[in-house]
Amino acid sequence: MTDYSEEQRNELEALESIYPDSFTVLSEKPTTFTITVTSEAGENDETVQTTLKFTYREKYPDETPLYEIVSQENLDDNDVMDIIKLLEQQAEENLGMVMIFTLVSAVQEKLNEIVDQIKTRREEEKKQKEREAEEEEKQRFHGTPVTIENFLNWKAKFDAELLEIKRKKMKEEEQAGKNKLSGKQLFELDHNLDTSDIQFLEEAGNNVEVDESLFQEMDDLELEDEEDDPDYNPVNLDSD
């Protein structure tokens, strides 16, 4: 008769020795414990990690243990599902033998693969971005090939934008014409316009001086009267 309790106890002692920093017993009845599994460091020292929870059934290892993922770091949902499927597969293949170390080792390898996949995925994303940047640069250099269809579309759009600009300009000019006042209207609004220039000069301290001697010398000028002009004919003036 198989002593399941003895096999389980011996396996617990071995697991505690193998995983001293990541093995934790949660309860003894039923026997429940966790093991934290961390991948090897990848690029930029990044890692992925998961904590597995196991519970012995009464007839383990002739029965598979209960298992679940209680926490994880840097794993997406697809990775978690893959790990669950892996545990299920390994448990069925190792039924009848103590298997916790085998299950944990399989998960460890899976995490290392995920780290490598992350590195590969990032390299592919980097290359894809570089290809997109190169393609964008080519498009800017070569431009878009001109066809009759895209030229007509551009022409229709250009004409519509030009028409809209003209309409706005005409509307602005029309509005400006309505708001422009004539000289008479400006004077009616402000009767001080006729003295504004003089007031401006006075405020600025500019006094206008007139040289009266210029007018006194006008008496000395010999100006001929129209009647003294031999060609003067008042009849001709009236006829004009």
Side-chain angles (χ1 to χ4, degrees), residues 223-235 237-238:
L223 301 177
E224 296 181 352
D225 293 336
E226 292 179 347
E227 295 179 354
D228 296 333
D229 186 355
D231 297 327
Y232 172 73
N233 190 345
V235 177
L237 291 175
D238 294 338

Side-chain angles (χ1 to χ4, degrees), residues 163-210:
L163 180 60
E164 183 64 22
I165 293 174
K166 290 181 178 180
R167 286 176 178 173
K168 289 183 179 180
K169 185 176 181 180
M170 291 176 62
K171 186 175 181 180
E172 291 174 356
E173 291 177 350
E174 180 182 354
Q175 188 65 30
K178 290 181 180 179
N179 296 333
K180 187 176 181 180
L181 300 178
S182 65
K184 181 179 179 181
Q185 290 173 323
L186 290 172
F187 180 78
E188 291 175 347
L189 290 174
D190 186 358
H191 295 290
N192 295 323
L193 289 177
D194 57 340
T195 60
S196 61
D197 290 344
I198 298 175
Q199 183 178 359
F200 173 77
L201 292 173
E202 291 177 350
E203 291 176 355
N206 295 325
N207 295 323
V208 180
E209 296 182 359
V210 179

Side-chain angles (χ1 to χ4, degrees), residues 94-112:
N94 292 276
L95 191 62
M97 299 179 292
V98 289
M99 64 181 75
I100 301 302
F101 175 77
T102 301
L103 298 182
V104 173
S105 297
V107 172
Q108 177 79 60
E109 292 180 5
K110 182 63 177 178
L111 295 182
N112 291 339

Side-chain angles (χ1 to χ4, degrees), residues 46-181:
E46 61 188 354
T47 60
V48 293
Q49 178 177 290
T50 184
T51 298
L52 306 174
K53 179 181 176 182
F54 297 98
T55 301
Y56 285 153
R57 292 180 179 179
E58 183 180 354
K59 295 182 179 181
Y60 172 84
D62 287 340
E63 293 179 320
T64 60
L66 300 176
Y67 46 82
E68 62 179 299
I69 295 176
V70 294
S71 66
Q72 56 86 14
E73 292 182 8
N74 302 324
L75 296 174
D76 58 30
D77 293 340
N78 291 332
D79 294 330
V80 173
M81 292 301 299
D82 289 343
I83 292 172
I84 293 295
K85 292 178 181 178
L86 177 63
L87 288 170
E88 181 180 354
Q89 176 188 350
Q90 291 294 320
E92 292 295 332
E93 291 178 358
N94 292 276
L95 191 62
M97 299 179 292
V98 289
M99 64 181 75
I100 301 302
F101 175 77
T102 301
L103 298 182
V104 173
S105 297
V107 172
Q108 177 79 60
E109 292 180 5
K110 182 63 177 178
L111 295 182
N112 291 339
E113 290 177 6
I114 292 173
V115 169
D116 292 338
Q117 291 171 1
I118 291 174
K119 177 182 178 180
T120 302
R121 185 164 58 245
R122 288 181 176 176
E123 289 176 350
E124 287 297 324
E125 291 175 353
K126 181 180 179 181
K127 291 179 180 179
Q128 180 63 25
K129 290 181 179 179
E130 290 175 351
R131 287 194 294 266
E132 291 176 354
E134 290 177 0
E135 186 64 25
E136 185 178 350
E137 185 66 23
K138 289 180 180 178
Q139 289 293 333
R140 283 200 299 263
F141 180 76
H142 293 291
T144 303
V146 178
T147 64
I148 295 176
E149 182 179 0
N150 61 29
F151 173 76
L152 292 177
N153 290 335
W154 171 85
K155 184 67 167 56
K157 184 179 179 181
F158 176 79
D159 291 343
E161 292 176 352
L162 185 61
L163 180 60
E164 183 64 22
I165 293 174
K166 290 181 178 180
R167 286 176 178 173
K168 289 183 179 180
K169 185 176 181 180
M170 291 176 62
K171 186 175 181 180
E172 291 174 356
E173 291 177 350
E174 180 182 354
Q175 188 65 30
K178 290 181 180 179
N179 296 333
K180 187 176 181 180
L181 300 178

